[in-house]
Amino acid sequence: MALFRFNAFIFSLVFTSIFATTIFVSSFQFEIGGEIGWSKPIGNESETYNEWAAKNRFHIGDSLYFKYKGDSVLEVTPADYLNCNASNPISKFEDGDTVFKFNRSGFFYFISGHKNHCKSGQRLIIRVMHPFESETASPGTAPAIAPTVAAGGGDDGGDGWASDFLGPPAINSTTAISVFSYFVTALGGVMVFLYLLM
C-alpha cells in the first residue's frame, strides 16, 4: 500500500511538472527584419514589418529581437502608433540589441524613435495570443484577425500608412495565472486525497 502511495505521488509530481513546463517554458524568439534588422524601409523590402507580423503567431513568453544602429525601439499606445508620436513611450530602448519579452496577451505597438522613420513604415503591431486560444504553442500562421496596414492617403496624417485594426483591449493576463493556480490547487487536493486513502 505504501508503494502505491509513493507511485501515485511521483506520478502526480511528474504530471504537474510536464504541464507547467509545457505552459511556461515554450517560447520563441523572433528576429525583427532578418539580416537588415530594425531599420527605416527604403522601398525595396519584400514585406513590411506588419505583413511579416501577420504571418506569425506570438504567445506569452515569446520575445522579439531588435538589432539596430543609431535608432531606437519604442513601445507606444495605439494612438501614438498611428501618429508616430515618440514623445511619450511606454518603454524606450536604445542599446542597439534589444530583446522584448511578451508578458501578457493582447496587442503591442512599436515604432522607431525617429519620426521620419516611423512615417516611412518602421513600425510594428504584434498580437500576442491568449493562452487558451485553440492554437498550438509553436510559431505558425497568424490568426485571421491579425492587424493590417493599408497604404494610401486619408486621415492618417498624410504619411500613407495607417492601421486598419488596432484591436480590442488586451485580456487581463492574470486570467491564465488564475486558471493555472486553480488547476495546481485541485491537483494538490487530489494528491492529498489519494495519500489519505492509502
Side-chain angles (χ1 to χ4, degrees):
M1 191 61 130
L3 182 61
F4 178 74
R5 277 189 244 169
F6 179 74
N7 288 341
F9 178 74
I10 295 298
F11 174 77
S12 298
L13 284 177
V14 169
F15 179 78
T16 303
S17 298
I18 291 171
F19 182 78
T21 302
T22 301
I23 288 180
F24 294 107
V25 176
S26 297
S27 63
F28 189 80
Q29 183 169 306
F30 293 87
E31 186 173 348
I32 303 300
E35 292 178 14
I36 299 170
W38 179 245
S39 61
K40 178 182 176 183
I42 55 175
N44 64 352
E45 293 80 14
S46 60
E47 62 187 359
T48 67
Y49 290 110
N50 283 325
E51 288 170 340
W52 168 83
K55 293 179 181 177
N56 290 286
R57 293 189 185 283
F58 303 92
H59 298 85
I60 296 172
D62 287 347
S63 58
L64 300 178
Y65 173 64
F66 294 88
K67 182 75 174 169
Y68 52 95
K69 289 184 180 178
D71 204 338
S72 60
V73 177
L74 307 180
E75 179 192 5
V76 296
T77 65
D80 288 345
Y81 172 88
L82 280 176
N83 298 311
C84 289
N85 180 6
S87 64
N88 191 27
I90 296 168
S91 302
K92 183 175 184 175
F93 307 95
E94 300 177 299
D95 61 0
D97 205 32
T98 300
V99 175
F100 184 93
K101 187 171 184 177
F102 299 116
N103 61 0
R104 63 171 175 81
S105 60
F107 287 85
F108 291 80
Y109 303 87
F110 300 95
I111 63 172
S112 167
H114 296 288
K115 190 169 187 170
N116 65 335
H117 289 198
C118 176
K119 288 190 174 284
S120 295
Q122 190 179 350
R123 54 180 165 177
L124 173 66
I125 301 173
I126 298 289
R127 177 184 179 252
V128 177
M129 298 174 64
H130 190 273
F132 299 109
E133 290 187 60
S134 61
E135 302 296 333
T136 62
S138 61
T141 306
I145 61 170
T148 59
V149 174
D155 295 326
D156 61 308
D159 61 12
W161 294 91
S163 173
D164 289 341
F165 180 70
L166 294 178
I171 295 172
N172 188 339
S173 63
T174 58
T175 303
I177 296 170
S178 296
V179 171
F180 182 71
S181 67
Y182 289 138
F183 173 78
V184 171
T185 302
L187 184 61
V190 169
M191 288 173 37
V192 169
F193 180 74
L194 289 173
Y195 180 76
L196 293 174
L197 285 177
M198 296 178 200

